[in-house]
């Protein structure tokens, strides 16, 4: 199987040129044999069409993110498409370049070990999350207890306020009742004083009238006695 790297030495895109040089440099550093297919050379129109028709990745660059046709470099293993520059670079980064180039079977052991490591990392992350959740749940009852205590304290304060208000209302009612009682007592005493004064005036007036009557009666008796005496004297003569 022959590895083929499709390039264009006449490309005016600087990023394409840099990518082509990097792919060839990496392959040389890994002692991987390959053939260069320059689609810009005369007589290479069929290879150019083959690259453009078989490439599933367009090899877009920053300056040309959506090219009309796939841009080089494009990598093939014989007629089997491997990928564009981005896929090549990613395979080189994760050390699966030979698998990407279809020069070696996929290493299922490496994949499975990577999956196991990833699962372990995910498990540790989940355990950490569970521990954090447990701590958060442990703190919540304390908050609830403090909330209950605050609620009880507020209820006690409310009860004390109500008792104070009731006490104040009771004292006000007592004061009002005492005041009204005192006023009634004062009114009753005034009425009694008026009654006593009226009675005393009546009593004082009564003896005066009887004295006049007695005097009048005595004067009438003396007059009648004088008349009787004069009549007796006249009869005696």
């Amino acid at each position: 199987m022959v590895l083929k790297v499709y390039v264009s030495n006449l490309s005016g895109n600087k990023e394409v040129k840099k990518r082509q040089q990097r792919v060839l440099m990496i392959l040389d550093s890994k002692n991987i044999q390959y053939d260069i297919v320059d689609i810009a050379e005369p007589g290479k129109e069929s290879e150019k069409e083959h690259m453009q028709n078989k490439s599933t990745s367009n090899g877009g660059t920053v300056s040309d993110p959506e090219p009309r046709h796939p841009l080089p470099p494009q990598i093939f293993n014989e007629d089997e498409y491997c990928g564009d520059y981005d896929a090549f670079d990613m395979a080189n980064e994760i050390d699966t370049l030979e698998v990407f180039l279809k020069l070696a079977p996929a290493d299922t052991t490496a994949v499975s070990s990577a999956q196991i490591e990833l699962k372990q990392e995910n498990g540790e992350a989940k355990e950490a999350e569970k521990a954090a959740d447990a701590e958060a749940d442990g703190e919540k009852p304390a908050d609830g207890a403090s909330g209950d205590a605050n609620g009880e304290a507020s209820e006690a304060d409310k009860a004390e306020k109500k008792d104070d208000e009731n006490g104040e209302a009771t004292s006000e009612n007592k004061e009002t009742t005492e005041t009204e009682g005192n006023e009634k007592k004062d009114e009753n005493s005034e009425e009694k004083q008026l009654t006593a004064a009226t009675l005393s005036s009546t009593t004082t007036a009564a003896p005066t009238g009887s004295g006049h009557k007695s005097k009048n009666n005595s004067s009438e008796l003396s007059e009648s006695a004088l008349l009787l005496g004069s009549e007796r004297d006249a009869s005696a003569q």
Side-chain angles (χ1 to χ4, degrees):
M1 299 180 72
V2 179
L3 185 68
K4 296 180 180 180
V5 180
Y6 287 78
V7 299
S8 176
N9 291 326
L10 297 179
S11 175
N13 192 323
K14 292 181 180 180
E15 191 171 355
V16 169
K17 288 183 178 180
K18 288 181 180 179
R19 287 181 173 186
Q20 292 175 163
Q21 291 173 359
R22 178 173 169 77
V23 169
L24 299 177
M25 181 184 67
I26 291 172
L27 292 175
D28 290 338
S29 66
K30 293 183 179 292
N31 295 320
I32 297 174
Q33 293 182 356
Y34 59 89
D35 288 341
I36 297 175
V37 180
D38 187 0
I39 61 174
E41 289 182 357
K44 297 291 183 178
E45 288 79 6
S46 60
E47 284 80 357
K48 181 179 180 180
E49 290 179 0
H50 175 76
M51 185 202 77
Q52 292 176 349
N53 293 330
K54 295 292 183 179
S55 297
T56 57
S57 299
N58 60 14
T61 61
V62 176
S63 60
D64 190 7
E66 297 293 336
R68 291 183 300 172
H69 301 289
L71 297 177
Q74 299 287 344
I75 299 94
F76 284 78
N77 190 329
E78 290 291 346
D79 292 335
E80 190 175 0
Y81 181 68
C82 296
D84 62 355
Y85 171 80
D86 290 332
F88 176 89
D89 188 56
M90 178 62 69
N92 182 56
E93 290 293 331
I94 62 176
D95 199 18
T96 59
L97 184 59
E98 290 185 354
V99 176
F100 167 76
L101 297 174
K102 304 183 188 307
L103 298 175
D107 190 356
T108 56
T109 304
V111 175
S112 61
S113 62
Q115 290 177 349
I116 291 169
E117 291 177 358
L118 183 61
K119 288 180 180 179
Q120 289 177 350
E121 291 176 358
N122 292 333
E124 291 176 357
K126 288 180 179 179
E127 289 179 357
E129 289 178 358
K130 287 181 180 179
D133 293 337
E135 291 178 358
D137 292 337
E139 292 176 356
K140 286 180 180 178
D143 296 336
S146 62
D148 294 337
N150 294 329
E152 291 177 357
S154 62
E155 291 293 334
D157 294 336
K158 289 180 180 179
E160 290 179 359
K161 288 181 180 179
K162 286 183 179 179
D163 292 338
D164 294 337
E165 291 176 357
N166 292 330
E168 291 177 358
T170 304
S171 61
E172 289 178 357
N173 291 331
K174 286 182 180 179
E175 291 177 357
T176 304
T177 304
E178 290 177 357
T179 303
E180 291 177 354
N182 292 329
E183 290 177 355
K184 288 181 179 180
K185 287 180 180 179
D186 294 336
E187 291 177 356
N188 292 330
S189 62
E190 289 178 358
E191 290 178 356
K192 288 180 179 179
Q193 290 177 359
L194 291 172
T195 304
T198 303
L199 291 174
S200 62
S201 62
T202 304
T203 305
T204 305
T208 305
S210 61
H212 286 293
K213 287 180 180 180
S214 60
K215 287 180 181 181
N216 292 329
N217 291 330
S218 60
S219 61
E220 290 176 355
L221 289 172
S222 62
E223 288 179 356
S224 61
L226 290 173
L227 290 173
L228 290 173
S230 61
E231 287 178 358
R232 285 179 183 176
D233 290 335
S235 60
Q237 290 176 1

